[in-house]
């Protein structure tokens, strides 16, 4: 069961990664998917916490939080469709908007949910390539201004559903711990991803080195075979040269003798005929 869940999560985290996707781009795509899944889980955890302590008083912010879940599913879907930039922007906008609505409109600063803006600024750094420094800077500034606004200017007495005062301290502690551990989890995922990719690259490099060594060995064997073939070809030419030299003379003698034999046979010169027949026999034997 756990293996099946792991396979599903792994498949979701790899949504949008193609065979030719670079290592750096793969990490950023994965982290958008990781953060989307973590955010969905976080919303469910926060909603469960709010439901347990005061569902009737907090049902409206709970409902709004749940309505944001499809946006994070869409974020993963956009990655799957290779719309990476839109996916990253939607992730940032959704996280910032939801937190600002809950902290600034419903709960107020006492609940401490605006501490999540620190997490979002860090997430912007890991989901965007460093070349997108403008996007990282803009998201970080928006998070900073949103935090400052809620911390300094938001009037907690005018929010729609003030958080129950008896649960503010544990909720604030829970939010702070959540920010801390979520950030640690993101960093662990980031480091694990880099380590996994580095090991994969090292493994591929070792395999390529082995293949290269085998190819070098085969190349050396081919060079040796080439030298042997060159020598054999040279030997063949030498043999044919010797044969040509050694056969040319006796075959020429036989040919000359047969011409004389033909004439002597026509002239009925038996003595000459017998002489050259013996000569032909001897030359053929020697050849």
């Amino acid at each position: 069961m756990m293996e099946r869940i792991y396979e599903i999560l792994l498949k979701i985290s790899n949504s949008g990664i193609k065979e030719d996707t670079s290592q750096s781009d793969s990490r950023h795509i994965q982290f958008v998917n990781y953060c989307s899944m973590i955010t969905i889980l976080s919303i469910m955890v926060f909603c469960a916490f709010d439901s347990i302590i005061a569902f009737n008083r907090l049902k409206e912010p709970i409902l709004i939080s749940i309505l944001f879940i499809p946006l994070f599913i869409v974020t993963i879907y956009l990655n799957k469709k290779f719309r990476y930039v839109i996916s990253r922007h939607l992730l940032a906008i959704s996280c910032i908007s939801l937190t600002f609505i809950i902290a600034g409109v419903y709960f107020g600063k006492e609940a401490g949910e605006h501490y999540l803006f620190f997490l979002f600024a860090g997430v912007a750094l890991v989901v965007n390539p460093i070349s997108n420094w403008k996007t990282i800077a803009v998201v970080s500034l928006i998070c900073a201004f949103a935090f400052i606004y809620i911390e300094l200017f938001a009037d907690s007495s005018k929010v729609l559903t003030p958080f129950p005062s008896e649960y503010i301290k544990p909720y604030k502690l829970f939010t702070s711990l959540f920010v801390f551990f979520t950030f640690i989890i993101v960093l662990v995922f980031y480091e694990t991803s880099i380590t996994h990719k580095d090991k994969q690259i090292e493994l591929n490099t070792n395999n390529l080195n082995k293949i290269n060594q085998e190819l070098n060995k085969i190349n050396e064997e081919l060079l040796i075979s080439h030298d042997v073939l060159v020598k054999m070809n040279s030997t063949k030419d030498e043999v044919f040269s010797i044969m040509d030299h050694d056969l040319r003379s006796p075959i020429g003698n036989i040919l000359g003798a047969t011409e004389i034999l033909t004439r002597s046979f026509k002239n009925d010169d038996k003595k000459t005929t017998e002489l050259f027949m013996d000569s032909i026999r001897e030359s053929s034997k020697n050849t």
Side-chain angles (χ1 to χ4, degrees):
M1 183 63 180
M2 292 300 298
E3 291 182 358
R4 180 58 180 167
I5 294 174
Y6 175 77
E7 289 177 0
I8 293 173
L9 293 176
L10 185 63
K11 186 176 180 180
I12 295 173
S13 67
N14 290 327
S15 295
I17 297 178
K18 298 180 286 187
E19 292 182 358
D20 58 346
T21 304
S22 67
Q23 178 186 357
S24 177
D25 290 339
S26 296
R27 285 204 302 268
H28 297 306
I29 294 168
Q30 282 180 323
F31 275 107
V32 172
N33 296 331
Y34 286 145
C35 291
S36 298
M37 288 189 289
I38 291 173
T39 304
I40 292 172
L41 179 62
S42 304
I43 291 173
M44 295 171 65
V45 170
F46 274 94
C47 288
F49 190 90
D50 295 342
S51 299
I52 292 172
I53 61 175
F55 176 75
N56 290 331
R57 294 173 60 182
L58 303 176
K59 60 184 176 182
E60 189 171 338
I62 290 172
L63 177 61
I64 289 176
S65 298
I66 293 174
L67 291 176
F68 265 80
I69 289 178
L71 292 177
F72 299 103
I73 296 174
V74 172
T75 298
I76 299 173
Y77 177 78
L78 288 172
N79 262 348
K80 187 176 181 180
K81 293 299 180 179
F82 316 125
R83 307 298 295 272
Y84 306 128
V85 175
I86 299 176
S87 177
R88 289 195 293 265
H89 290 170
L90 180 62
L91 175 65
I93 293 170
S94 300
C95 289
I96 293 171
S97 300
L98 175 60
T99 304
F100 190 83
I101 291 171
I102 299 301
V105 178
Y106 285 97
F107 289 173
K109 65 182 179 181
E110 282 75 14
E113 280 216 2
H114 56 303
Y115 293 159
L116 290 171
F117 287 119
F118 292 118
L119 177 62
F120 301 151
V123 168
L125 186 62
V126 297
V127 300
N128 286 284
I130 197 65
S131 58
N132 291 351
W133 63 270
K134 292 182 180 179
T135 302
I136 297 172
V138 169
V139 172
S140 299
L141 286 173
I142 291 173
C143 290
F145 284 127
F147 176 84
I148 292 171
Y149 173 79
I150 294 173
E151 183 68 24
L152 299 180
F153 303 107
D155 189 351
S156 299
S157 62
K158 295 181 180 180
V159 294
L160 297 180
T161 54
F163 203 82
S165 57
E166 64 272 24
Y167 294 108
I168 283 180
K169 286 186 177 180
Y171 191 80
K172 198 169 185 177
L173 176 63
F174 173 75
T175 303
S176 301
L177 291 175
F178 177 82
V179 171
F180 175 76
F181 284 112
T182 302
F183 194 75
I184 294 297
I185 290 171
V186 170
L187 290 178
V188 168
F189 271 124
Y190 187 78
E191 183 63 27
T192 302
S193 175
I194 292 176
T195 303
H196 175 73
K197 290 291 184 181
D198 288 343
K199 287 183 179 179
Q200 192 65 38
I201 290 173
E202 183 180 357
L203 179 62
N204 292 338
T205 302
N206 291 334
N207 290 336
L208 287 174
N209 288 335
K210 290 180 181 179
I211 293 172
N212 191 48
Q213 290 175 358
E214 292 177 0
L215 289 174
N216 288 334
K217 185 177 179 181
I218 293 172
N219 189 49
E220 290 175 359
E221 292 175 352
L222 288 174
L223 289 174
I224 294 172
S225 300
H226 178 265
D227 292 340
V228 172
L229 289 172
V230 169
K231 290 179 180 179
M232 289 177 65
N233 191 56
S234 177
T235 303
K236 178 204 71 174
D237 292 340
E238 185 178 353
V239 169
F240 280 130
S241 177
I242 294 171
M243 289 175 63
D244 176 68
H245 177 270
D246 290 352
L247 291 177
R248 185 181 297 275
S249 179
I251 289 178
N253 292 336
I254 293 172
L255 183 59
T258 54
E259 290 177 354
I260 296 173
L261 181 63
T262 302
R263 287 197 299 269
S264 63
F265 185 77
K266 288 180 180 180
N267 296 330
D268 198 23
D269 186 352
K270 293 183 179 181
K271 185 176 180 180
T272 302
T273 300
E274 290 176 359
L275 176 64
F276 279 92
M277 286 182 65
D278 291 337
S279 176
I280 291 170
R281 185 183 300 108
E282 191 64 27
S283 292
S284 298
K285 193 181 295 182
N286 292 335
T287 301

